Amino acid sequence: MTTTPETDVVCLGESMVTFLPSRPGPLADVPSFERTIGGAESNVACTLARAGHRARWVSRVGTDGFGDHLVRTIAAHGVDTTAVARDPERPTGIYFRTDGERATGAEPATGTEPATGTEPATGTEPAPVSEVVYYRAGSAASAMSPANVEPRAARAGHILHLTGITAALSADCLALLRTLTSARPAAAPGAHPGPLVSFDVNYRVGLWRTAPEPGGQVLGELAQHSDIVFVGEDEAAAAWGVTGGPDAVREALPEPAVLVVKQGSVGATAFVGESAGVFAPALRVDVVSPVGAGDAFAAGFLAGTLRGLPVRERLRHGHLSAAAVLTAAGDLAAPPPREAADRLVALDDAAWEALRLGRGWSAGTPPRTPPGARGPETANARGPRTANGKNPGAGQPGEGLYGGTQAEVDA
């Protein structure tokens, strides 16, 4: 009898305690901060767990109070944290940030506020860029390696989700990711054949300045050895010099069975095998904070993958999960209930593009059907378009709402 895994998705990577400012402004002027959590992989795990999937987070944290807080908080979202190791010699990482958009691959300007590298919508001002300062050097998670991470724990699910952030933390972390993406052990007869490897490029300019190997080269290698890859157009340009849209990215990266190219507030295109790309436009949302939307998008797409949904529906579920985070403060937000999400995903194209999602929409406003459109719609459905007719992502202009590079300061 063939065995099946008890976990749907395993997410491996560092999570940190995050401090959010009590009021807008530069970090130097913020008088106090609110403690929360942040981490690309744990964000994906939490979103999947809240969507009803069995998720496990694999990592290392210190034996300090911040480590206690991380494990408790992530477990409270329904995530299995039994594979998180405690390191008595290294601390749990922390970081401070302001709300704002991520930068897109350009070298940062002076201080910690980089140039955005994106063109704003016609007639608008560029979105503010997030100021981020990390204190993660020498953290417990940066010591993850093939020697101290149990392979069976990492490979216990249908999908193993990784990101390029982990690869940049240390030579040991990079060795671990190479082991998990390249070395696929043959399964014994009747045993679980091993997970699909999902890899979010998540290019972080600041981390790679001190990394042991060039970021673009490493990220390309890891993506080539993965089964499902998420990458932003801006990331492909910054890391690999690839421009020309999703088709050009696919041409440069033909190896993954599934490639999802995120196109900022325009939408996303997914390629499966040798088939032509499938495009799904992004939703118009009233943005509260852009941070964490890319992780939520990946979680929504992976949730659709686990359910065996068509590619277009997977993309729409990704957009809905991202919209839930964009319209909430912090890196995490409850995704819409599955039944409500399925109704929205089933909208015809006109109704989908007419949606406008406001703050807290995923927690409550019941869908309704507007005149002239087939299917349900949220109550605040209509919103402005940019001068060229494109969806601006609402709330604030600019690209990169679902991912992109971010300039950082590491201490």
Side-chain angles (χ1 to χ4, degrees):
M1 183 177 70
T2 301
T3 60
T4 57
E6 296 180 357
T7 301
D8 293 324
V9 179
V10 175
C11 301
L12 182 148
E14 181 174 34
S15 188
M16 293 174 289
V17 172
T18 310
F19 290 93
L20 304 179
S22 58
R23 70 183 189 195
L27 288 177
D29 299 335
V30 175
S32 61
F33 297 82
E34 178 184 357
R35 184 185 66 174
T36 180
I37 66 169
E41 300 84 1
S42 60
N43 286 348
V44 171
C46 289
T47 302
L48 283 165
R50 295 182 73 170
H53 295 281
R54 301 165 300 175
R56 169 183 289 177
W57 175 50
V58 176
S59 190
R60 294 174 68 85
V61 299
T63 55
D64 47 37
F66 287 146
D68 295 339
H69 175 65
L70 277 176
V71 174
R72 283 200 307 260
T73 303
I74 292 171
H77 285 272
V79 176
D80 176 2
T81 59
T82 57
V84 178
R86 307 302 293 262
D87 190 326
E89 299 179 358
R90 298 176 180 86
T92 303
I94 64 173
Y95 77 103
F96 297 78
R97 71 166 173 83
T98 60
D99 285 335
E101 187 54 89
R102 288 174 172 173
T104 53
E107 286 298 312
T110 57
T112 58
E113 297 186 70
T116 64
T118 62
E119 291 297 325
T122 304
T124 63
E125 294 299 322
V129 176
S130 179
E131 185 181 0
V132 184
V133 180
Y134 287 103
Y135 296 90
R136 76 196 311 175
S139 69
S142 70
M144 287 189 295
S145 74
N148 60 28
V149 173
E150 173 56 52
R152 285 178 296 181
R155 295 191 173 106
H158 291 287
I159 296 173
L160 169 62
H161 182 69
L162 309 167
T163 81
I165 296 172
T166 306
L169 296 181
S170 68
D172 283 342
C173 283
L174 175 55
L176 175 61
L177 260 62
R178 281 178 166 148
T179 297
L180 294 173
T181 56
S182 299
R184 310 283 186 94
H192 168 45
L196 294 173
V197 175
S198 167
F199 180 68
D200 192 336
V201 170
N202 244 325
Y203 184 40
R204 296 290 181 266
V205 180
L207 285 177
W208 287 102
R209 291 196 194 93
T210 56
E213 298 182 36
Q217 176 182 318
V218 169
L219 295 172
E221 171 198 333
L222 294 173
Q224 288 170 350
H225 289 104
S226 299
D227 302 299
I228 304 170
V229 172
F230 300 91
V231 63
E233 281 185 307
D234 54 352
E235 293 177 306
W240 307 317
V242 176
T243 58
D247 288 326
V249 179
R250 183 52 160 173
E251 184 177 353
L253 194 60
E255 296 86 359
V258 179
L259 174 67
V260 181
V261 181
K262 298 176 288 185
Q263 298 164 258
S265 58
V266 174
T269 300
F271 299 86
V272 178
E274 297 181 0
S275 300
V278 175
F279 174 74
L283 292 161
R284 279 180 276 197
V285 298
D286 296 325
V287 177
V288 174
S289 172
V291 180
D295 306 327
F297 177 87
F301 187 91
L302 293 177
T305 300
L306 289 166
R307 297 172 61 192
L309 298 180
V311 174
R312 177 173 171 272
E313 294 183 18
R314 298 182 207 177
L315 289 168
R316 284 192 170 189
H317 275 286
H319 288 320
L320 286 169
S321 292
V325 171
L326 287 167
T327 53
D331 294 17
L332 287 168
R338 180 177 294 185
E339 183 179 350
D342 285 346
R343 288 200 301 269
L344 292 174
V345 164
L347 287 169
D348 64 22
D349 290 344
W352 176 266
E353 293 188 28
L355 287 173
R356 171 82 178 263
L357 302 175
R359 182 167 186 155
W361 68 273
S362 62
T365 304
R368 65 176 177 83
T369 304
R374 298 192 307 273
E377 181 175 286
T378 55
N380 52 344
R382 302 200 175 273
R385 288 186 176 269
T386 60
N388 61 4
K390 297 294 185 181
N391 170 4
Q396 49 187 324
E399 303 293 330
L401 294 179
Y402 292 6
T405 58
Q406 179 171 326
E408 303 167 333
V409 174
D410 278 302

